[in-house]
Amino acid sequence: MAQAISLPALPTPHHHHHYVAPRSPRPSRGAYSPSLLRAELPLSAALRVGDDSSFRDARFLLSLLRQCGDLLHGEDEKSPEEERTDLAAARRLAPQLHSLAVRAGHATREPHVACALADLLERLGRGASGRRLLAEGDGEDWKDAVLWNKQVAMLAEAGDWDGAIAAFREMRARGVAADGYACARALHACGRAGRPREGRAVHAHALRAGLVDAHPLVPGFLAGMYAEGADVAAAKTVLLRTAGAGVVAWNAVIACCVRLGLVDDALELAERMARDAETSAVADPTLITWNTVLSGCARHGRDREALAVVGRMLEQGLSPDAATVSSLLKSVANSGSLDHGTEVHCFFLRHGLAPDAYTGTALVDMYAKCGRLDLAQRVFDGLEHRNLATWNSLVAGHANAGQFDRALELVEAMKRHRLDPNVTTWNGLITGYAINGLSSQAMLLLRQIKSAGVAPNVVSWTSLISGSCHSGDYQSSFTFFSEMQQDGVQPSLVTMLVLLRACAGLAHLNKGKELHCFALRRAYDGEVVVSTALVDMYAKAGSLTSAKRVFGRVQGKNLVCCNAMLTGLAVHGQAHEAAALFHDMWRSGLKPDGITFTALLTACRSMGLVTEAWEYFDDMEAKYGVAPTAEHHACMVDLLARRGYLDEAMAFIERSPAEPGASSWGALLTGCAIHGNLDLAESAARHLFRLEPHNSANYLAMMSMYEQHQMFDEAESLKYAMKARGVDARPGWSWTQVGRSVRVFEVDGGSPPHPETPEIYEEMSRLVSQIRMVGYVPDTGCIAYDVPEEEKERLLLCHTEKLAVVYGLIRSDKSGAPVRVVKNTRMCRDCHEVIKHVSALCGRQIILRDASRFHHFVDGKCSCDDYW
């Protein structure tokens, strides 16, 4: 007699009536209704009525397991109270049925019982126990096809991709036929594990078995497997050639593209669905389709496309829901477009969509990021339901705007509403302090919350690092990163991107290489966004060769990645390579944007290609559909002015459709300074003094021109005007890195004197003496002071770029590595000539980045061909 346990009493089973084959429909629920299992009667009563052989019968135990499963997913409509009661009953009965199955030996010898038991355990959240059960058994041949298929499916559903692939491979090796569900799950596992070879093998089996068209899940997972490997063309082929590829399959591939950041492919697939639905068997895109694409646009910064997606949705007659509005508001918040945000809000109200905590938070966040904290507060006050995220959005908005007192008041108000500030709340304040240039306060707050028992997470540290980078304090970003590592917090993908941006801002090549190695160890290099940041970093740090190498290895290049490479080619003066890349982009189907043409026009400017620049500018809107902005107009003015076409540049400014900005007038002033046109320079300067009254560069440029024209009284007047307006001259500096140390040279001597200063000047005097012998003549016209010629020559030796180059030569003489120098202003003609001669004299490559572009000095020549 089996030991009595507290299972409910059941009538003696009629085995033949209730036994069901594993793949047949479920039995009638008349005799074994789950309601009987809810009864609180002891099993011992049933045992007293009959014998315990009933429970040793595999078919009876299988029926009990399925009835227990029906308590969780019954066919009838159940009230919440009934659902809670059934769940409690199932949780009570499942361990007892499990025990009975093990005692009777059915759990490891009867495949159908094992399958039903594993399914029940999985539904109760004990999937690991179910998977372990399927992996065990008496002997190797006890599993049948149903059990093998169930094991593959459960492993894949649990995210054990390698286990699912191994189980599928083993079952096929044993000659067990895989059903459609197992094939679908195996394809999913191959895609997520990055195992395309095994995925193609599963594809071949599904084709031979006729499952691709027969099973509704296979087409979607098959296309998804190819999409996971960024082979969107193969995924699209599967969708178009498979009769059973419905909207679920298309949506699965689109969701996969969004997750991988392939937003362009997701957009193209959705457009293909909308375009071909009426003329072919392609399914119509649903609201889920467009919402998936929209979420991808919001997540990956494709804000302009997000508005177009909503337009296509409306054209199809679909009504946006709360998820649509939330994603769209996120895109609007990212772009800072208040007008579009207000339109979305009005649309939301017109269609009677009730704001919940989620959409309300999106509205508050949008208005806060668009700088309208008053409207954010009004929306916040009108919300019936607010959660912690809603409060955090408002706190972050005030902190980012520098209104720290108000942000802290909101934190106190949260506490009064019985909401404890969490780490996200403090992260918003940390970011606000950092982006407003208050890194020390941000660090102090981080330490305070740590002392209060709130552990700063990777977002906390990344917010601090990102805020410092945003405010231009790149060096502090690396200091905080070191402290983050000491605190035992591992950097995330976002942390890597921020630090790579800091390396690009500082042209810090060695640190950038270290981060590249870190990305390789973390397998981040496979992410397109990381590769894009690496391309940008290497290009701006002066290693164009490394940027090209990384770019060449990127799979599935998107527009952002190509724009980064284009910009790198532009600042290095590689206009012809930039043009070739642009045409390759266009032929591959990538549509250029405003950043693309800014890079192209900058590349043309770097080589003085006026004709080519005009072609690109004229074709921007006519051929490529990109409206020229003030930045594009400034690029054209800069090109024309530098080439000496000053009248044409002035005429171009006058016929610009929008009011010319400081960038256009500044470009004209630079061209006038190069070509000595004082009259036009004065005209440009008057506009600049009005638009940028506190920009010292404009005053200094005019002072230099006046002194070159012997107009010292006018130069003195400008000097007094600067003092009267409180304009401080922008300090000039250059720096070079030798080993792990960075040496900064400043015009005003702001940094302490270097102990090797005498050695630097001694070596410079020696080099200048030698290059004089081969034809160098000091260009004293670069010194805009009324002093004797001898004094001007002495002042030329004090230019920071010369000091940095000489120091780099002294300290890296044995290595023979290129000397790399970064300068924050435009290099003067004399320094350019000196460095050319020094590169030939010392046989060293010198790479210098000034405010205009990169200069590569090799064997007495510069990559700019003396045009910069």
Side-chain angles (χ1 to χ4, degrees):
M1 178 74 67
Q3 181 181 358
I5 57 177
S6 57
L7 274 171
L10 291 170
T12 304
H14 303 283
H15 304 309
H16 296 287
H17 176 70
H18 287 287
Y19 170 70
V20 185
R23 299 183 65 173
S24 302
R26 288 186 180 272
S28 168
R29 300 176 60 190
Y32 294 131
S33 170
S35 61
L36 295 174
L37 291 176
R38 300 185 190 115
E40 297 294 336
L41 298 177
L43 182 60
S44 54
L47 293 175
R48 283 193 295 272
V49 174
D51 61 87
D52 66 325
S53 61
S54 303
F55 298 97
R56 298 186 180 279
D57 186 285
R59 290 173 296 178
F60 178 52
L61 190 56
L62 176 64
S63 181
L64 286 179
L65 288 167
R66 288 180 171 170
Q67 291 173 52
C68 191
D70 285 342
L71 291 176
L72 299 173
H73 299 285
E75 297 173 4
D76 53 343
E77 293 290 336
K78 293 188 290 187
S79 67
E81 181 62 31
E82 287 177 325
E83 288 183 358
R84 286 192 293 271
T85 302
D86 287 353
L87 179 61
R91 289 189 182 281
R92 186 183 70 254
L93 295 172
Q96 300 173 51
L97 291 172
H98 191 177
S99 177
L100 279 174
V102 172
R103 291 180 185 181
H106 298 324
T108 55
R109 287 198 299 265
E110 290 291 338
H112 300 163
V113 172
C115 188
L117 181 56
D119 188 58
L120 176 61
L121 292 172
E122 185 179 28
R123 292 183 185 184
L124 289 170
R126 296 174 57 198
S129 298
R131 294 190 297 276
R132 189 164 54 251
L133 174 69
L134 296 183
E136 298 170 350
D138 295 341
E140 295 184 351
D141 300 324
W142 77 287
K143 296 182 186 177
D144 66 357
V146 173
L147 204 58
W148 275 110
N149 285 299
K150 182 65 177 178
Q151 183 177 3
V152 171
M154 286 187 70
L155 288 168
E157 288 164 359
D160 185 359
W161 315 125
D162 292 335
I165 295 168
F168 187 88
R169 187 191 299 118
E170 185 179 354
M171 71 178 285
R172 294 297 303 127
R174 292 174 179 273
V176 179
D179 62 16
Y181 192 75
C183 279
R185 291 301 176 184
L187 287 167
H188 183 53
C190 292
R192 296 303 299 272
R195 307 271 287 275
R197 182 177 179 182
E198 288 84 348
R200 287 191 291 271
V202 180
H203 184 183
H205 170 76
L207 284 172
R208 288 194 298 270
L211 296 171
V212 175
D213 291 322
H215 197 280
L217 292 180
V218 172
F221 282 110
L222 176 59
M225 183 272 294
Y226 286 113
E228 289 282 1
D231 191 353
V232 180
K236 191 189 304 181
T237 300
V238 170
L239 292 174
L240 294 174
R241 292 183 178 178
T242 306
V247 68
V248 174
W250 283 82
N251 286 349
V253 176
I254 290 172
C256 178
C257 291
V258 166
R259 188 175 65 255
L260 295 175
L262 305 174
V263 181
D264 290 322
D265 293 304
L267 285 164
E268 196 276 331
L269 287 170
E271 287 289 349
R272 180 69 178 265
M273 292 176 70
R275 185 178 65 248
D276 296 351
E278 296 181 0
T279 59
S280 65
V282 176
D284 277 313
T286 63
L287 185 61
I288 295 175
T289 310
W290 292 117
N291 279 351
T292 303
V293 177
L294 193 59
S295 69
C297 292
R299 191 183 311 163
H300 297 284
R302 305 295 291 273
D303 308 319
R304 186 180 63 179
E305 288 90 338
L307 296 171
V309 167
V310 175
R312 294 291 285 118
M313 185 189 302
L314 294 173
E315 289 175 8
Q316 196 181 338
L318 297 173
S319 297
D321 60 4
T324 313
V325 173
S326 297
S327 294
L328 186 56
L329 285 171
K330 183 177 179 181
S331 291
V332 171
N334 292 337
S335 65
S337 176
L338 179 62
D339 291 340
H340 286 144
T342 306
E343 289 178 13
V344 175
H345 192 181
C346 292
F347 179 90
F348 185 83
L349 296 174
R350 283 198 307 269
H351 284 72
L353 297 173
D356 55 14
Y358 187 62
T359 52
T361 299
L363 283 167
V364 170
D365 187 60
M366 181 273 295
Y367 280 123
K369 288 181 177 177
C370 290
R372 290 301 302 271
L373 291 170
D374 56 332
L375 297 179
Q377 185 69 55
R378 189 182 303 174
V379 172
F380 180 86
D381 293 338
L383 289 176
E384 182 179 352
H385 304 288
R386 304 174 195 150
N387 57 20
L388 190 57
T390 316
W391 284 90
N392 287 345
S393 293
L394 196 57
V395 169
H398 283 283
N400 291 338
Q403 300 176 13
F404 301 109
D405 291 340
R406 175 58 182 156
L408 293 171
E409 287 175 7
L410 286 168
V411 172
E412 294 302 318
M414 290 172 63
K415 297 176 182 177
R416 291 194 298 273
H417 283 78
R418 298 182 180 180
L419 285 173
D420 291 328
N422 61 0
V423 70
T424 305
T425 314
W426 302 118
N427 287 347
L429 280 163
I430 289 169
T431 303
Y433 281 125
I435 66 175
N436 283 282
L438 302 173
S439 297
S440 57
Q441 286 90 329
M443 191 67 206
L444 178 62
L445 176 60
L446 188 142
R447 288 170 178 157
Q448 286 176 340
I449 66 172
K450 187 176 178 182
S451 301
V454 179
N457 56 18
V458 65
V459 178
S460 311
W461 287 101
T462 302
S463 298
L464 181 58
I465 295 168
S466 178
S468 301
C469 189
H470 179 80
S471 64
D473 188 4
Y474 300 118
Q475 198 59 49
S476 291
S477 298
F478 292 111
T479 303
F480 297 141
F481 177 56
S482 298
E483 293 197 36
M484 171 184 174
Q485 291 179 304
Q486 292 171 9
D487 207 40
V489 179
Q490 293 298 316
S492 66
L493 179 66
V494 178
T495 317
M496 290 292 304
L497 297 177
V498 174
L499 289 169
L500 286 170
R501 190 167 79 242
C503 288
L506 286 173
H508 208 321
L509 182 61
N510 290 346
K511 182 64 72 174
K513 288 180 177 178
E514 292 176 10
L515 290 170
H516 191 177
C517 292
F518 186 88
L520 290 171
R521 290 195 299 271
R522 288 296 189 87
Y524 286 155
D525 59 310
E527 300 282 347
V528 176
V529 65
V530 174
S531 297
T532 301
L534 286 168
V535 169
D536 183 63
M537 180 275 296
Y538 277 122
K540 291 179 179 177
S543 183
L544 187 61
T545 302
S546 298
K548 290 178 182 178
R549 187 181 302 119
V550 173
F551 181 75
R553 293 173 180 170
V554 178
Q555 298 294 322
K557 299 178 180 69
N558 57 23
L559 181 62
V560 179
C561 186
C562 291
N563 281 347
M565 191 70 250
L566 273 176
T567 303
L569 292 169
V571 297
H572 284 270
Q574 305 295 318
H576 297 302
E577 285 191 52
L581 175 58
F582 171 74
H583 292 298
D584 287 343
M585 289 168 55
W586 179 250
R587 284 192 293 269
S588 70
L590 286 177
K591 183 181 178 182
D593 61 3
I595 298 173
T596 311
F597 284 101
T598 298
L600 274 175
L601 295 176
T602 301
C604 292
R605 183 204 64 186
S606 68
M607 293 185 67
L609 305 178
V610 177
T611 303
E612 290 83 349
W614 273 121
E615 289 179 0
Y616 289 128
F617 186 84
D618 291 338
D619 287 344
M620 278 182 65
E621 193 161 16
K623 182 177 180 179
Y624 301 104
V626 179
T629 64
E631 189 174 11
H632 301 121
H633 283 84
C635 286
M636 289 302 299
V637 172
D638 196 13
L639 170 61
L640 294 170
R642 287 177 187 271
R643 289 290 289 171
Y645 302 122
L646 298 175
D647 293 335
E648 288 85 344
M650 186 66 187
F652 184 83
I653 290 176
E654 291 173 344
R655 66 172 183 267
S656 295
E659 179 69 21
S663 55
S664 292
W665 292 114
L668 181 60
L669 178 59
T670 300
C672 292
I674 293 172
H675 298 285
N677 189 324
L678 184 59
D679 293 337
L680 202 53
E682 288 179 326
S683 176
R686 282 192 290 271
H687 290 282
L688 288 168
F689 295 155
R690 175 177 56 84
L691 295 169
E692 298 178 326
H694 294 92
N695 187 346
S696 62
N698 302 324
Y699 295 92
L700 294 175
M702 283 307 302
M703 286 168 59
S704 177
M705 290 193 69
Y706 281 136
E707 289 171 345
Q708 288 173 9
H709 286 77
Q710 307 295 308
M711 300 170 66
F712 300 110
D713 291 340
E714 287 79 355
E716 198 67 21
S717 297
L718 275 182
K719 190 180 298 184
Y720 283 126
M722 288 181 66
K723 291 181 180 178
R725 293 183 177 181
V727 180
D728 294 325
R730 179 187 181 189
W733 51 258
S734 299
W735 68 261
T736 186
Q737 182 178 14
V738 178
R740 301 185 69 86
S741 63
V742 174
R743 174 67 170 112
V744 181
F745 299 87
E746 295 181 275
V747 170
D748 58 359
S751 56
H754 195 278
E756 296 170 294
T757 297
E759 183 183 358
I760 295 171
Y761 277 104
E762 182 181 350
E763 177 66 12
M764 184 182 296
S765 298
R766 186 186 69 81
L767 291 172
V768 170
S769 297
Q770 288 188 326
I771 64 177
R772 277 178 181 268
M773 297 178 186
V774 293
Y776 163 68
V777 177
D779 186 352
T780 56
C782 299
I783 302 298
Y785 297 113
D786 186 17
V787 294
E789 284 295 308
E790 294 79 7
E791 180 65 14
K792 288 185 178 182
E793 290 185 16
R794 189 190 69 78
L795 289 173
L796 285 174
L797 297 179
C798 299
H799 282 195
T800 59
E801 57 266 52
K802 287 191 183 80
L803 297 173
V805 167
V806 172
Y807 179 77
L809 289 170
I810 293 172
R811 290 289 156 255
S812 63
D813 185 54
K814 294 181 180 179
S815 68
V819 176
R820 299 178 185 274
V821 175
V822 177
K823 180 176 173 59
N824 70 329
T825 57
R826 185 176 182 270
M827 182 168 44
C828 74
R829 296 187 304 274
D830 183 74
C831 288
H832 192 270
E833 192 67 19
V834 166
I835 298 173
K836 281 200 307 181
H837 283 292
V838 168
S839 70
L841 178 65
C842 300
R844 299 288 296 278
Q845 181 182 10
I846 301 170
I847 302 173
L848 188 146
R849 187 182 97 177
D850 68 0
S852 177
R853 54 167 292 159
F854 273 94
H855 301 264
H856 294 255
F857 298 93
V858 181
D859 296 329
K861 296 180 180 179
C862 180
S863 59
C864 72
D865 288 330
D866 299 337
Y867 178 84
W868 80 100

